[in-house]
Amino acid sequence: MSDTRRARVRALAKINLDLRVLNKRPDGYHELRTIFQTISLADALEIAYTPSRRTCIELNDPLQIADNLVAKAARLVMDALRATGRVEMQLTKRIPMGAGLGGGSSDAAAVLLALPVLMRREISLPKLCDIARELGSDVPFFLLGGTAAGIGRGTELFPLADGPARHGVLAAPGVHVNTAEAYRALSPRLTTESQQNKIFSFQSHTLGWGQEEAFENDFEAVVFAQHRSLALWKKRLVRVGAKPALMTGSGSALFGLFESARDASRARDQLGDTEKTYPISLVSRARYRSMWWKALEAEIEPKTWPPRSCNLR
Ligand code: C5P
């Protein structure tokens, strides 16, 4: 009898509510100050594990994404647990790619959260974080979800309190921005003088003192200069009442937040381009956790999930 264990999980997208780039570091990455936020837009991942002496990782990805992080994440989990087995995955993409929404990173984090449970093996949070950092700068955030401050490369995370439920509109105009190139374009503009201001205004947001209208994304200047259509999308979001209206990550998607679900829905109607826009809501850490718990409930052994730090036992 086959002992296959399965789960169907949702891998949520993120937006950056605030994103400041300070300086280029000796390791080639840039020092960031950002506020990550999970949103309701999601990819779907079906994952199955069958114990076996040989390891075989199969990914059915209709879009044939090159170097898909999902397969790499599964391989790293198996290696870390020194385990073998058959892993079969089916990925359904809904999060626009190359848009600053962290879709690939979230898919990879979904494997890190789900696979050890299906394997009935415990993996510590510090180990999962190590693997997540190896996969990419945005991956560790998706182990946490909700609202979190990210500093350093974006991988040093500090959970922030869940805010009130918010609704918004996401605009994904289909422009592909290369992240590494966006950082390269931004680098010459980074001055020591501007850094202090960025640090103080970022800090005021993490403490809840800052005005939402004052949220900023340093990439807007360089990315809008290359893609005028994105600057126009920002203007359109402002015109229909978004507060704030901002690009996420290195682009190209933009989001606008509104006072109520009804305002957000009306604004989306006014924007008109419904094939390029999505209704979104901000997903709190409490909701993120309960979503994960429900998705894995049938397979969870309470001793092994959620992953935690040995310092917290
Ligand atoms: O970590 P990740 O693979 O997502 O990063 C993609 C690219 O973005 C890196 O190769 C680097 O050029 C740039 N990056 C950066 N500083 C960061 C994060 C990413 O320069 N904090």
Side-chain angles (χ1 to χ4, degrees):
M1 199 181 79
S2 146
D3 185 19
T4 302
R5 299 155 214 158
R6 302 171 187 282
R8 185 182 162 84
V9 300
R10 293 173 73 225
L12 267 52
K14 62 85 179 158
I15 52 176
N16 299 82
L17 291 173
D18 194 79
L19 174 53
R20 321 284 174 130
V21 183
L22 300 185
N23 57 283
K24 191 165 181 184
R25 314 182 330 171
D27 64 3
Y29 285 95
H30 289 76
E31 182 70 23
L32 300 186
R33 296 291 180 272
T34 189
I35 300 177
F36 290 112
Q37 172 68 58
T38 33
I39 59 169
S40 49
L41 184 66
D43 289 340
L45 179 74
E46 282 174 55
I47 176 165
Y49 172 77
T50 313
S52 153
R53 285 220 190 109
R54 274 191 52 232
T55 291
C56 167
I57 296 170
E58 280 174 30
L59 171 64
N60 183 354
D61 157 26
L63 299 181
Q64 302 281 313
I65 302 161
D67 302 324
N68 200 313
L69 284 184
V70 162
K72 193 173 171 195
R75 170 71 57 190
L76 290 172
V77 167
M78 305 285 277
D79 289 351
L81 292 173
R82 294 179 204 281
T84 57
R86 185 185 184 87
V87 182
E88 292 159 282
M89 296 178 289
Q90 161 97 37
L91 185 61
T92 309
K93 292 293 295 177
R94 295 200 193 92
I95 304 172
M97 293 185 286
L101 294 163
S105 303
S106 187
D107 299 341
V111 175
L112 302 190
L113 288 171
L115 186 54
V117 173
L118 300 179
M119 294 169 75
R120 305 205 172 125
R121 294 283 302 272
E122 191 169 9
I123 187 161
S124 74
L125 194 54
K127 183 71 212 164
L128 270 191
C129 286
D130 284 348
I131 300 176
R133 274 193 295 273
E134 189 178 337
L135 287 163
S137 302
D138 287 344
V139 182
F141 165 67
F142 290 103
L143 300 178
L144 191 63
T147 316
I151 71 167
R153 228 181 101 191
T155 57
E156 292 169 45
L157 296 164
F158 298 88
L160 298 176
D162 285 337
R166 295 291 304 270
H167 296 268
V169 177
L170 184 84
V175 174
H176 190 283
V177 176
N178 180 300
T179 303
E181 273 172 31
Y183 273 105
R184 268 196 295 279
L186 188 57
S187 256
R189 296 175 179 230
L190 303 172
T191 64
T192 325
E193 204 181 322
S194 66
Q195 287 184 12
Q196 213 57 353
N197 292 337
K198 288 181 191 179
I199 288 169
F200 286 134
S201 61
F202 171 78
Q203 189 188 23
S204 69
H205 287 313
T206 60
L207 292 169
W209 298 338
Q211 296 289 319
E212 280 184 339
E213 289 88 322
F215 280 141
E216 279 179 36
N217 179 339
D218 283 347
F219 282 109
E220 284 188 349
V222 287
V223 175
F224 287 179
Q226 279 178 7
H227 304 282
R228 289 294 305 149
S229 63
L230 301 182
L232 293 178
W233 267 101
K234 176 158 174 146
K235 279 200 181 130
R236 289 174 72 188
L237 282 165
V238 170
R239 216 177 297 134
V240 295
K243 265 191 205 139
L246 218 62
M247 193 172 78
T248 174
S250 56
S252 62
L254 296 100
F255 63 90
L257 298 182
F258 296 85
E259 286 298 324
S260 66
R262 194 199 279 185
D263 287 353
S265 166
R266 194 180 301 139
R268 186 163 175 253
D269 289 343
Q270 283 170 350
L271 285 166
D273 254 330
T274 43
E275 71 287 357
K276 289 187 181 150
T277 62
Y278 301 78
I280 55 163
S281 58
L282 307 190
V283 175
S284 67
R285 189 166 313 104
R287 263 180 68 203
Y288 193 73
R289 289 228 171 125
S290 84
M291 176 195 89
W292 270 101
W293 187 267
K294 280 185 198 140
L296 298 175
E297 199 170 25
E299 300 294 341
I300 283 177
E301 289 189 357
K303 266 196 346 253
T304 60
W305 212 86
R308 48 191 144 219
S309 161
C310 50
N311 301 324
L312 295 175
R313 273 169 215 267

